[in-house]
Structure formats: C-alpha cells, structure tokens
C-alpha cells in the first residue's frame, strides 16, 4: 500500500446478475425484476456505490428489453440512491440494436467494451463502428461509460475514443481479468494495464471466479476500485456459495477496511467519477 492510497475511498461496484449464470450454478441468483431490485438494494446497503445491471426475461434468460431495464431501474431508484450502470454488453450474440436498448432506461453509467475478445468458447463481438455508436449514444444522453478492458488493446481503444471526442474525461476503466480466452488475472497484467491508464482517470478491477478477491486485494493496495458480485464470481470462499450479492460486497468492504480504504458512498463516488448531477 503506497502512502498516497491509504484512506482513499474505494468505489465498490456490484455486478448482480450477468448474462451467463443460471440457477443450476447457484440457487441464489436473482432473476426476476423484483429479485434483482431486492438484491440491488441489499448490495447497496452492504457498501456498493455502483450497481452493474443485466436483466432477465420471465424465463430467466438474458434480455435487453427496455421495459425490463426500466422496471428494474425504477424499482431500485425508489429504494436507494445507488449509481446505476446498465450493461451494453448483454449476452454473447445479442444484436447491436438490442445492446443499445438499456440506455433508454436513463442510467447514470453504462458499460462499454472497446474491442472484440474470445469469451470462453464464444466470441464477444465489439466492432469499432459499433463501439463508436455506443459511445456516441452514451454521450448524447449524458451517460458515463465504464470502459471494460478484457484485453490490453481495449484500454488503448478507450483512450482513442476520448481523443476522438466520443468519451469525455475523466475516463473510468474496469479491468476485467481472468475470462477464459482473455487477459489472465495476474499482478503483472494488472500492473501493465494500470501503467497505461491516463493521469486523472479512475479504474477498478473485476476479476472472475477464484481470482475475484485476490485481485480485489491488489486493486485496493494499488489505489484502484473494486467490482464484485455474482456476475463474476458466485463463491464467498472455496466451496461456499455466496447466499447473496450483499455477502460478496460485505467481504470486499471488510478487505477494504483492513487495507485502510473506506468504502465510498454513492454521493462520494459521483464526485470521484465526476458524474453529472
Ligand atoms: N456478458 C458478456 C458477454 C458488460 O456487461 O458490458 C458481456 C458483459 C460485459 O457482461
Ligand atoms: Zn456485465
């Protein structure tokens, strides 16, 4: 822990649902709008300033339906002041038109993956013209992108979009490490990515599976922010399923406290991210 990072509030993000997980993998996965809202409010109470949202249809399948996103966004907003960040990644194979739909729910933030990448046995497609279109749509609506970096070139592409005027500074990056086929969750990779992040930006780490908490620890020590949640990892510890997203957030919050990093409230996070009022 460098002295400059001590006491720097950490922005905890909780990715509640994702698009790939099923109830077969964990019975605790929230699926219906009511379950997602309840899980969101609980995760926020446990310390998450940002909630990263995917939604599901009435069969539990991933959907980009505007109506479902709006229902979930409205439900959470009625009950807490968390920063809501919709996914524009959706599920592998979603159409470009569908992936633009969550922006209609008027969130404060949205994810923006700035390149294509192998994603397990599939390919998460993000051609440049579509990434530019997403960035333009976010800018037009005053939605701050979280630049999702699954591989190194995505960081450079995020900076390029800012140079082209499609993303406003300060930039916010989420370093997604450990997806099979993408950049692995190692300290060396984290250091390499962080060394390329422009001054004045903010960054978080979202590592998947068993790397979630070890990489969160490194992010805390290096002055970064942390994303946890069932989308990325369903285990509280080896062999023990998290019974809620709040449990994962609470664990991240206690790691942060032990590292001397208080968790930021949503209001503090809005300031740190320079979100528009
Ligand atoms: N479900 C993945 C294919 C995001 O939310 O922007 C993409 C994803 C990233 O989850
Ligand atoms: Zn996501």
């Amino acid at each position: 822990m460098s002295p400059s990072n001590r006491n720097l509030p950490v922005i905890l993000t909780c990715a509640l649902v994702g698009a790939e997980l099923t109830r077969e993998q964990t019975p605790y996965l929230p699926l219906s709008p009511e379950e997602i809202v309840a899980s969101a409010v609980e995760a926020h109470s446990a310390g998450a300033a940002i909630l990263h949202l995917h939604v599901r249809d009435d069969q539990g399948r991933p959907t980009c339906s505007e109506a479902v996103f709006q229902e979930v966004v409205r439900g959470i907003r009625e009950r807490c002041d968390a920063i809501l960040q919709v996914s524009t990644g959706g599920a592998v194979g979603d159409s470009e038109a569908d992936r633009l739909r969550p922006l209609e729910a008027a969130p404060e933030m949205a994810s923006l993956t700035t390149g294509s990448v192998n994603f397990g046995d599939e390919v998460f497609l993000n051609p440049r013209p579509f990434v530019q279109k997403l960035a333009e749509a976010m800018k037009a609506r005053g939605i701050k992108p979280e630049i999702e970096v699954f591989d190194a070139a995505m960081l450079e592409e995020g900076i390029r979009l800012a140079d082209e005027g499609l993303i406003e500074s300060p930039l916010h990056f989420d370093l997604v490490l450990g997806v099979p086929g993408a950049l692995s969750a190692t300290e060396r990779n984290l250091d390499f990515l962080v060394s390329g992040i422009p001054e004045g930006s903010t960054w978080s780490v979202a590592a998947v599976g068993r790397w979630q908490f070890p990489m969160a620890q490194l992010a805390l020590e290096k002055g970064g922010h942390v994303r946890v949640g069932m989308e990325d990892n369903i285990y509280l510890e080896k062999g023990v399923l998290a019974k809620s997203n709040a449990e994962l957030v609470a664990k991240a919050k206690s790691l942060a406290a032990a590292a001397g990093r208080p968790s930021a409230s949503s209001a503090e996070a809005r300031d740190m991210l320079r979100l528009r009022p």
Side-chain angles (χ1 to χ4, degrees):
M1 155 89 47
S2 88
S4 60
N5 298 335
R6 189 161 283 283
N7 299 327
L8 175 73
V10 59
I11 302 171
L12 299 178
T13 296
C14 187
L16 302 160
V17 190
E20 290 77 27
L21 268 181
T22 64
R23 279 269 167 81
E24 280 67 52
Q25 290 164 289
T26 174
Y28 305 112
L29 181 68
L31 291 178
S32 68
E34 296 76 20
E35 289 167 347
I36 295 172
V37 170
S39 186
V41 173
E42 215 194 346
H44 176 65
S45 300
I50 303 178
L51 301 168
H52 172 80
L53 297 172
H54 291 250
V55 296
R56 303 295 181 101
D57 67 14
D58 55 12
Q59 303 296 309
R61 294 172 303 210
T63 177
C64 297
S65 154
E66 282 168 39
V68 184
F69 266 102
Q70 280 164 347
E71 181 180 353
V72 167
V73 164
R74 195 181 325 113
I76 300 171
R77 286 212 175 118
E78 279 168 5
R79 294 177 56 190
C80 71
D81 80 331
I83 298 166
L84 303 185
Q85 178 194 92
V86 298
S87 169
T88 65
V92 167
D94 281 346
S95 71
E96 295 184 359
D98 280 348
R99 287 174 54 186
L100 282 154
R101 291 187 208 290
L103 301 180
E104 300 307 322
E108 286 177 272
M109 296 182 76
S111 60
L112 178 67
T113 301
T114 45
S116 299
V117 65
N118 282 344
F119 192 86
D121 293 341
E122 301 182 290
V123 181
F124 180 27
L125 271 181
N126 294 287
R128 288 197 81 209
F130 178 55
V131 175
Q132 288 166 338
K133 191 171 181 177
L134 274 174
E136 272 168 10
M138 290 181 204
K139 189 175 174 194
R141 291 165 176 75
I143 297 170
K144 178 159 180 148
E146 174 177 275
I147 301 164
E148 307 295 334
V149 175
F150 290 73
D151 217 335
M154 297 184 192
L155 195 152
E156 295 180 321
E157 183 66 6
I159 297 169
R160 205 170 294 126
L161 289 167
D163 290 344
E164 289 168 2
L166 292 174
I167 305 182
E168 284 171 22
S169 291
L171 305 180
H172 178 63
F173 296 90
D174 184 40
L175 311 177
V176 188
L177 299 175
V179 171
L183 206 58
S184 57
T186 65
E187 184 168 11
R188 188 177 70 129
N189 286 341
L190 177 60
D191 287 341
F192 170 61
L193 292 177
V194 170
S195 71
I197 290 178
E199 188 93 6
S201 309
T202 46
W203 58 274
S204 62
V205 171
V208 304
R210 64 193 161 92
W211 292 286
Q212 182 163 84
F213 288 107
M215 296 305 289
Q217 181 68 42
L218 287 176
L220 290 166
E221 290 168 9
K222 294 172 193 288
H225 303 284
V226 169
R227 169 171 134 171
V228 293
M230 289 191 193
E231 174 168 346
D232 305 330
N233 165 48
I234 56 177
Y235 290 99
L236 196 57
E237 53 192 75
K238 194 169 191 281
V240 181
L241 284 172
K243 292 198 171 54
S244 66
N245 277 295
E247 282 191 345
L248 295 166
V249 174
K251 180 166 173 173
K253 184 174 168 150
S254 69
L255 288 178
R261 305 268 315 265
S263 54
S265 66
S266 295
E268 288 168 328
R270 284 187 176 93
D271 274 357
M272 293 164 81
L273 295 166
R274 309 269 165 74
L275 291 181
R276 290 189 192 164

